Amino acid sequence: MSATTEHAHDHDHDHGPARGLMRWITTTNHKDIGTMYLVFALTMLFVGGLMALIVRAELFQPGIQFVNPAFFNQMTTTHALVMLFGMIMPAFAGFANWMIPMMIGAPDMALPRLNNWSFWLLPFAATMLLSTLFMPGGGPAAGWTMYPPLSLQGGDSFPFTIFAVHLLGISSIMASINIIVTILNMRAPGMTLLKMPLFVWTWLITAYLLIGVMPVLAGGVTMLLTDQFFGTSFFQAAGGGDPVLFQHIFWFFGHPEVYIIILPAFGIVSHIIPTFSRKPLFGHESMVFATASIGFLSFIVWAHHMFTVGMPLAGTLFFMMSTMLIAVPTGVKIFNWTATMWRGSISFETPMLFAVGFLFMFSIGGFSGLMMALAPVDFQYHDTYFIVAHFHYVMVPGALFAALGGAYYWLPKWTGHMYDEKLGKVHFWLSTIFVNLLFFPQHFLGLAGMPRRIPDYATQFADWNMWSSVGAFGFGFSQLLFVYIVIKCVRGGEKASAKVWDRPFGLEWTVPSPAPYHTFEKAPEIK
Ligand code: HEM
Ligand SMILES: [Cu+2]
C-alpha cells in the first residue's frame, strides 16, 4: 500500500450538516452515520457490560445471592446478543462508514440513503430485544445459540427476540451491500484492488461473509418460529424433525460470524502497527490472501462446535483438520505484524499499545481454539468455562482492543483534537490487567470441570471465580475512563495536524483534522 496523494481539502461549495436532531435522523453523510454507529456501539457496551456484571456478581461466590436462576439465564443470553449484534458489529460498521470512503478516496458511501436505514434499524432492534426483559416470562434465556428444544420452552417474548434478530440481520446485509458496492465502484483512479488498505480489504471480505450467512441465521430462527407457532416440526423429534439440524444451521452462520467480528479487527491492527513502527506493512499481499483464505475456511469448519453431538468419524476428522488449517493464514498474519515491527522505529502511543496487546492476547485465544479443535480433547473442554475463556480472549482483548486502538488512532482525525495520551495509557494498562484477571482464570475453571451458563457452582471453583469477578468489575469500570477520554477529546485539546502521527500511511491523513464534512469530492490522485 503506497497510496499517497496531493489532496484537495478546500471545497468550493460548503454545505454543512443540517441542524439539530433532524441532522442525525435524516443524514446520509458517511461520517455522521459512522459517528452514530460508534456512539450506539459504545452505549451498548455499557448495556451489555451491565448484564455481564450481573452475571459476575452472582458468580462471585458459590450459592445463589443476587438473582434467581431464570433471570441469570436471561442475562447470559441477552449479554451475548447485545455484545455481538449491538456492540462489536456496529462498532466495526462505524469504522467502516467513517474510514472506507476516506481510505479509497471516495466522497461518500455508494448508497447513502440505504446507509441511513441500515443504522436506524439498530436502535429499534435493540429496543425490541431489551424490551423482552420486561415481558411476562422474561427475555430469551436459552443461550445466544438458541438451541431447540430449550429455546422453545421460554416465555412468550420469543417472537420478539426473533424479530429483533431479523432486523439486525437486515441491517447487516444492507450495510454489506453498501460496503461492497462502494469498494468495487468508488475507488479513486489508480487505487487498484491490491493497493487498497487492509482495513478496506478485510471489510470487503467481511461484507461477503455477512451476505453469505445472515440469511442462514434468519432462516434458522424463522424455522424455530414456525415450529413454535405454526405446527411445523423442523427441529421437533416428535414430529419427525431433528434438533441437531438447528445446530448445523446455526453454526453455519455462527462460525463465519466470529470471523465477521475479527476480520475488521485484523484490518485496524494492520494500520496501527505500520504507523507506530514507521515501516510499511510487511507482506501486504499475503495479508490480503490470508484474509481471503480465512474467509473461505470459515465456511467449512462449523461442526467443530458440535463434536460432542456425535458424528461419523470422517466428519469429525474433516472438521478437526479444516479447523486447524485456519491457524495457517492466522499465523501468516501474526508473522506479518511481527515482521512489520522488526527493526522498526517503534513508539508506544495508546493505539500501538492496544494493537500490541491485541497481538499477544488474541493469540492466546487462537491457541486455546487450536486446543479445542482437537476433537478428542474437546470432549473435556466443551461447554465448560474453558470455552468462555477462549472466546472472550478473541473477542475482548482481541476484537474490542482492536476497536479501542482504532478509536484512539483515528480520534484526532475525527475530532481535530489529540486525546489525552497519559489517560489513554492508563486506560490501556487498567484494561489489560483486569481483562486477564477476568478471563485467564476461566481456563483453570474450565479444565477443572466448571460448566458454562450456570448460576451456582461447587465450592472447589470458588477462588478463581472470585478473582474473575474482581477482574470483571475492574474492567467494566476502566471503560468509563474511555468515555471520559473521548468526551474530553471531542470538547477540546491540543489541535491535531492533518498527518496526526509521525509517519502514517493512507489517504485519510491527507485531509485536514477534523476531516471536513465532505471529503474527496474531487478524486485524489493515487501514485
Ligand atoms: C485459531 C482460530 C480459532 C480456532 C481454531 C477456534 C476454535 C474453536 C472451537 C473448536 C470452538 C468450539 C469449542 C466447543 O464448544 O467445544 C470454538 C468456540 C468459539 N469460538 Fe473459536 N476458534 C478460533 C478463533 C475464534 C475467533 C477469532 C473468534 C471470535 C472473534 C472465536 C469465537 C468463538 C466463540 C464465540 C465460540 C463459542 C461459541 C459458543 O458456544 O457460544 N473463535 N472456537
Ligand atoms: Cu467456530
Side-chain angles (χ1 to χ4, degrees), residues 382-415:
H382 185 67
D383 261 343
T384 68
Y385 253 79
F386 194 84
I387 308 299
V388 180
H390 157 71
F391 68 73
H392 281 100
Y393 261 93
V394 282
M395 304 251 201
V396 183
L400 181 62
F401 266 38
L404 291 170
Y408 282 109
Y409 184 52
W410 284 303
L411 256 181
K413 180 56 63 190
W414 297 337
T415 64

Side-chain angles (χ1 to χ4, degrees), residues 144 251 258-259 305 369 372 378 382 387 390-391 394-395 452:
W144 78 285
W251 287 112
V258 309
Y259 287 94
H305 295 270
M372 299 170 338
D378 185 57
H382 185 67
I387 308 299
H390 157 71
F391 68 73
V394 282
M395 304 251 201
R452 64 192 279 205

Side-chain angles (χ1 to χ4, degrees), residues 40 54 99 110 121 161 193 230 239 242 251 259 277 287 290 327 337 354 375 382 445 457 470 472-473 505:
F40 178 79
I54 292 171
M99 303 317 300
L121 279 179
T161 305
L193 280 177
F230 300 101
D242 182 358
W251 287 112
Y259 287 94
S277 308
M287 284 303 222
W337 289 320
F354 275 101
H382 185 67
L445 289 169
Y457 49 82
V470 170
F473 278 86
F505 299 85

Side-chain angles (χ1 to χ4, degrees), residues 129-258:
L129 180 62
L130 295 175
S131 70
T132 61
L133 292 170
F134 303 96
M135 292 180 189
W144 78 285
T145 50
M146 297 177 278
Y147 284 4
L150 188 60
S151 63
L152 300 178
Q153 293 164 17
D156 290 340
S157 67
F158 194 54
F160 291 89
T161 305
I162 288 182
F163 193 48
V165 170
H166 279 142
L167 289 182
L168 294 161
I170 294 170
S171 159
S172 295
I173 290 172
M174 293 195 307
S176 302
I177 292 173
N178 211 345
I179 287 171
I180 292 174
V181 177
T182 305
I183 296 174
L184 295 185
N185 291 301
M186 310 244 316
R187 277 169 290 129
M191 174 70 75
T192 58
L193 280 177
L194 276 176
K195 268 196 196 162
M196 279 190 331
L198 257 231
F199 181 68
V200 181
W201 257 112
T202 52
W203 247 115
L204 180 62
I205 292 165
T206 301
Y208 278 108
L209 294 187
L210 274 166
I211 290 180
V213 301
M214 289 319 273
V216 178
L217 174 68
V221 296
T222 307
M223 287 154 87
L224 282 179
L225 196 71
T226 61
D227 268 12
Q228 179 81 319
F229 296 103
F230 300 101
T232 57
S233 301
F234 293 112
F235 309 128
Q236 313 218 23
D242 182 358
V244 175
L245 173 64
F246 180 83
Q247 300 188 23
H248 282 291
I249 297 174
F250 183 85
W251 287 112
F252 187 81
F253 146 80
H255 191 82
E257 167 68 13
V258 309

